[in-house]
Amino acid sequence: MSEAGLRPRAVFLDRDGTLIEEVGYLDRPERVALYPWSTDAIRAFNRAGVRVVLVTNQSGIARGFFTEEVVRTVHDHLAELLAAGRAHIDAYYYCPHHPDGKIAEYARKCDCRKPGPGLVERAERELGIDPGRSFAVGDRWLDIGLARAVGARGILVRTGYGVTEEGRPPEGLAADAVVDNLIGAASWILKELC
Ligand SMILES: [Mg+2]
Ligand SMILES: [Zn+2]
């Protein structure tokens, strides 16, 4: 398939339970634990020319559990871990909001909390991504909901909350694929590109 003249594809990648272990509210960089296959999966996307855009709901900011600064420190640490394996994430986007938040400036309904399309629209604006040629990967149905909201394909992974989520699909929402983990998602996506 010719890529000429087309806007780039991306994988909109969930963080907790998909790229790194789900540990509840992640409030310190020392608690970041990549799954053993995560670096290989990201490197495979890098080599295939698929942009990797991390999109994560971080309502812990609105709830007052940690600050945006902490989230940025976590992402800097994550970038270092991936760089050690010659892999990189092209952009790190997060939603700091929640309607029931305690911190006034973040306590609101927004359009960037997944499955809202705000973070993907930002990637479209800032990185020129074509969501219609892209994929969302995550361990929650809201990640699949995001895919639906932006016209991307959605892949549910069985890590994190994924096994539980697989057993209780919401009415009217189905994943394009359900796979064991992120490397399974990478295999599925890269096969689709051939
Ligand atoms: Mg998740
Ligand atoms: Zn938001």
Side-chain angles (χ1 to χ4, degrees):
M1 185 190 343
S2 169
E3 296 280 309
L6 297 174
R7 290 187 294 160
R9 299 174 190 277
V11 171
F12 299 110
L13 181 66
D14 175 52
R15 194 189 79 182
D16 303 336
T18 302
L19 176 70
I20 62 176
E21 285 178 29
E22 168 63 59
V23 296
Y25 291 101
L26 185 99
D27 56 1
R28 297 195 305 280
E30 307 83 71
R31 297 178 73 203
V32 169
L34 282 165
Y35 289 114
W37 48 79
S38 288
T39 303
D40 289 341
I42 302 302
R43 199 171 49 239
F45 290 130
N46 295 155
R47 285 186 176 158
V50 178
R51 307 289 194 276
V52 181
V53 180
L54 187 116
V55 291
T56 178
N57 286 348
Q58 293 299 323
S59 69
I61 298 168
R63 296 177 203 274
F65 297 159
F66 45 81
T67 61
E68 287 200 60
E69 182 58 33
V70 166
V71 172
R72 283 193 288 263
T73 306
V74 164
H75 292 172
D76 288 348
H77 180 57
L78 200 42
E80 279 172 23
L81 294 176
L82 291 170
R86 301 181 317 286
H88 75 274
I89 286 175
D90 294 275
Y92 291 81
Y93 294 159
Y94 59 89
C95 164
H97 308 110
H98 196 276
D100 307 325
K102 301 271 178 291
I103 309 294
E105 61 175 312
Y106 304 115
R108 62 178 174 86
K109 199 168 162 3
C110 65
D111 74 349
C112 55
R113 180 172 169 78
K114 296 182 291 185
L119 298 179
V120 168
E121 288 168 358
R122 184 174 163 199
E124 214 175 339
R125 244 176 6 251
E126 293 182 356
L127 308 171
I129 302 300
D130 182 351
R133 304 177 68 230
S134 296
F135 305 85
V137 180
D139 67 321
R140 306 288 297 266
W141 287 108
L142 59 82
D143 297 301
I144 307 306
L146 171 69
R148 286 294 163 273
V150 303
R153 278 175 283 177
I155 297 119
L156 186 74
V157 291
R158 295 191 181 99
T159 49
Y161 292 109
V163 171
T164 317
E165 292 278 278
E166 186 184 10
R168 47 168 205 209
E171 187 76 38
L173 190 61
D176 292 281
V178 181
V179 296
D180 282 346
N181 54 38
L182 183 56
I183 199 79
S187 301
W188 190 88
I189 289 170
L190 297 177
K191 227 174 276 169
E192 288 294 301
L193 303 186
C194 293

